[in-house]
Amino acid sequence: MEVVNDPRLEYFSLLFAVGWSPVEVAANTSAEQDLTVTGVKLGDVISVNKPTAQAGLGVVGVRVKSADLVSVTFGNLTATPITPTASETYTFLVVRPK
C-alpha cells in the first residue's frame, strides 16, 4: 500500500496491489466477485485496474462491500463463458477523506 498525502488537500489516496484469479463469467451476463483488500473501509471511493485486456470482457463496476472486502463486477459481452486471466495483480486506487 502506498499513501499519497498533501497537507493542502482534504483527502488522501491509497494504492493497493492484490494478486487475484477471478472465476468464470457466464455468457451475456455480469457477475460480481469479492476480493479481500486489507485496509479498505466502507465509504472509500475506489477504482480498479485489470492489467490485461480480454476481448468481450469488461470491468463494469467496483465497490467497497465492507471493511477489507471489495466487489468487482465483470461484464461478459459474448455468447460464450469467459474466465478472466488467472494470477494477475489488480491495482486499486482508494480516495479517503482525512
Side-chain angles (χ1 to χ4, degrees):
M1 172 177 59
E2 177 182 337
V3 177
V4 178
N5 194 3
D6 183 327
R8 299 168 295 173
L9 302 176
E10 295 183 15
Y11 62 90
F12 62 96
S13 58
L14 303 160
L15 191 61
F16 298 87
V18 181
W20 190 26
S21 295
V23 299
E24 179 180 273
V25 180
N28 297 309
T29 192
S30 63
E32 187 176 71
Q33 299 186 33
D34 294 341
L35 168 69
T36 298
V37 180
T38 303
V40 299
K41 297 179 180 181
L42 278 174
D44 286 344
V45 177
I46 190 166
S47 63
V48 62
N49 179 59
K50 180 185 181 308
T52 60
Q54 286 181 259
L57 182 72
V59 174
V60 296
V62 61
R63 67 187 179 104
V64 176
K65 190 171 187 177
S66 65
D68 301 325
L69 189 64
V70 170
S71 292
V72 177
T73 302
F74 293 95
N76 179 350
L77 308 174
T78 72
T80 58
I82 297 176
T83 301
T85 305
S87 301
E88 290 192 304
T89 299
Y90 285 69
T91 306
F92 297 89
L93 176 64
V94 169
V95 177
R96 181 180 297 161
K98 288 184 179 179

